[in-house]
Amino acid sequence: MVSGAKGSYDNGTPNTTCDVTFAVDLSSASSGYLADLQNSIEKYVSELKSNGLEYNLRLVTFNAGTVSNFDFGNDTDAFINAVKSLNISGGGALDFGTVVSNVAGTGPFAEGANRYLVVFSAEALSTTGNLDDYISTLTKNNIQVSVIGTDAGWNSVAKATGGSVYDITADDYSSLMSKVGTDTAADVNKCIATVEESLNIISNVKKMLNAMVNIVLREVNRLHMSGYTLDGKPGGALFETIDPSRPLEMGNIKLSDSLLDLNSIVASSTDANGDNVIAMKIAKLRNESIMASYNQTLSVDSYYQQIILTVGNIGNESRQYVESQQVLVNAAENERQSLMGVSLDEEMGNLIKYKYAYNSATKIVNVINEMLETIIYRTGIVGR
């Protein structure tokens, strides 16, 4: 049985959807607090793009109880401009509860999308009161919370939802925002590569194969886009989808149309033509630990070997199951035959017994016939 229709996650299509909500605290801030985010927000968006995710961007701003919610879809320019136009709106106690309620009440852009909430706040989160309610609401809606702030209070929410806390006082904000974006993409990959065991064997194998194909090809595209062509232009994607409505997966892969011009192939990691850095990085992917799931981290080779082992183990278990069932069937059949079946040995013995009985009866009849014949034909002829 294959679960789900073509293109569905149950049928093996990788879930590369990424619903990201940036929640920015405008209630209070130190000098330069908001400027650091505004000057580096492109780094986060760039990581989503380079990792080939299907993303939706949402901006939530809040202060002491007031929340605004803007959905930008995949319009990255509008999202970046909106972040850069933010201003501090006033002080007051941090009201994270309004953010949780607002985000939980806003549905994801696609059914089953991976949902992320990135909170940007210099304020501490109180560990008393409704913290457990916040966590319950967030986990119920499958929202992972990461915080660019301080450990105070936020660490409990981030840990409970599977997110992280990033130091808001970091000196290099560009690297910080790139790290946040990379971690978002890595979590999407973990969701794809984690395939729980079930009886839907074909669907599971398709999920694992598609996970490997999707993650590897997106990583190849990321590396290819990080280099430069023979013309000194930035590289583009090496692989594209045949059907744009579905992600990169088995049966939905083609080389980029731009590669019809061989000069579009990336030739170097810088604008100096001729080095093989990008090619070597792509070649080394097979041994890189990029197949990280929630229970293990494997290289591409190891992950593929695990797929083969999975298929082999399932086949072996199926064979053993069939053999065990056949033993039970044979035992039941023997029991049935012992109660109501025909024994050829017993029947042959009966045939021989009845044959001898018949022969004996025939001899008795012959003797009686001879006696009667003697009586009938011999009586009364004495003295003639």
Side-chain angles (χ1 to χ4, degrees):
M1 176 183 294
V2 179
S3 300
K6 180 180 179 181
S8 69
Y9 304 139
D10 288 338
N11 197 23
T13 294
N15 184 4
T16 57
T17 55
C18 183
D19 191 273
V20 180
T21 299
F22 249 87
V24 181
D25 179 13
L26 302 179
S27 63
S28 63
S30 59
S31 176
Y33 153 84
L34 198 54
D36 288 333
L37 173 65
Q38 293 170 331
N39 293 333
S40 57
I41 188 64
E42 293 98 332
K43 293 294 184 179
Y44 180 85
V45 175
S46 178
E47 287 297 329
L48 297 184
K49 286 183 176 181
S50 64
N51 279 279
L53 300 177
E54 181 186 355
Y55 54 84
N56 181 80
L57 297 172
R58 191 178 294 108
L59 177 62
V60 169
T61 59
F62 65 102
N63 49 32
T66 302
V67 174
S68 62
N69 190 325
F70 304 96
D71 195 337
F72 297 95
N74 59 2
D75 189 346
T76 56
D77 290 336
F79 172 75
I80 292 171
N81 290 334
V83 173
K84 289 186 174 182
S85 65
L86 294 177
N87 294 298
I88 300 301
S89 60
L94 176 70
D95 186 2
F96 185 58
T98 57
V99 177
V100 173
S101 300
N102 190 277
V103 175
T106 304
F109 78 105
E111 184 179 356
N114 302 293
R115 304 184 68 182
Y116 302 94
L117 172 62
V118 181
V119 179
F120 187 82
S121 176
E123 301 294 320
L125 179 65
S126 175
T127 57
T128 60
N130 299 321
L131 187 60
D132 290 339
D133 293 337
Y134 299 161
I135 293 173
S136 176
T137 301
L138 292 166
T139 53
K140 185 183 299 182
N141 288 274
N142 297 316
I143 301 174
Q144 183 191 99
V145 180
S146 291
V147 182
I148 304 174
T150 63
D151 284 341
W154 294 112
N155 190 55
S156 299
V157 177
K159 184 177 180 180
T161 59
S164 303
V165 176
Y166 303 90
D167 186 8
I168 197 170
T169 63
D171 294 329
D172 187 354
Y173 249 74
S174 292
S175 298
L176 174 67
M177 295 306 293
S178 292
K179 171 64 175 172
V180 179
T182 300
D183 288 350
T184 299
D187 187 78
V188 173
N189 288 349
K190 285 181 180 179
C191 294
I192 296 173
T194 304
V195 180
E196 301 294 339
E197 293 185 3
S198 73
L199 296 178
N200 292 325
I201 300 170
I202 296 178
S203 294
N204 279 8
V205 172
K206 289 183 67 175
K207 287 178 182 178
M208 296 179 72
L209 287 172
N210 275 331
M212 185 180 68
V213 168
N214 181 269
I215 293 172
V216 170
L217 294 190
R218 286 195 291 111
E219 185 66 15
V220 170
N221 281 346
R222 187 188 69 80
L223 292 173
H224 197 262
M225 289 188 291
S226 70
Y228 293 86
T229 67
L230 289 172
D231 298 332
K233 299 177 181 179
L238 190 63
F239 297 98
E240 295 178 346
T241 59
I242 298 172
D243 180 0
S245 66
R246 288 160 45 210
L248 290 166
E249 62 177 337
M250 294 183 297
N252 196 39
I253 308 166
K254 69 173 184 177
L255 287 173
S256 174
D257 293 335
S258 64
L259 297 183
L260 292 174
D261 178 7
L262 296 182
N263 288 329
S264 297
I265 299 176
V266 163
S268 63
S269 58
T270 66
D271 56 1
N273 295 336
D275 70 51
N276 63 349
V277 173
I278 300 298
M280 291 301 295
K281 286 183 178 180
I282 292 176
K284 291 178 180 178
L285 280 179
R286 65 178 297 177
N287 296 316
E288 295 292 330
S289 298
I290 61 174
M291 300 304 300
S293 64
Y294 286 114
N295 48 23
Q296 59 185 341
T297 300
L298 301 172
S299 66
V300 177
D301 268 4
S302 297
Y303 193 82
Y304 187 63
Q305 290 171 8
Q306 180 176 326
I307 297 175
I308 296 174
L309 287 173
T310 298
V311 174
N313 288 335
I314 291 173
N316 185 55
E317 289 174 2
S318 298
R319 178 180 59 79
Q320 291 179 347
Y321 181 77
V322 169
E323 291 176 352
S324 298
Q325 292 300 308
Q326 189 60 52
V327 170
L328 294 177
V329 170
N330 292 339
E333 177 63 18
N334 291 336
E335 183 68 18
R336 187 183 73 86
Q337 291 291 347
S338 67
L339 296 175
M340 58 178 295
V342 175
S343 172
L344 294 179
D345 292 341
E346 183 180 354
E347 293 303 317
M348 182 59 69
N350 287 336
L351 284 175
I352 295 173
K353 179 177 68 176
Y354 295 143
K355 178 179 181 299
Y356 279 106
Y358 178 80
N359 290 339
S360 299
T362 301
K363 290 181 179 180
I364 292 173
V365 171
N366 288 336
V367 170
I368 293 174
N369 283 337
E370 291 176 358
M371 291 173 61
L372 291 174
E373 182 180 354
T374 300
I375 292 172
I376 294 170
Y377 290 104
R378 300 286 183 178
T379 301
I381 63 173
V382 178
R384 286 184 181 179

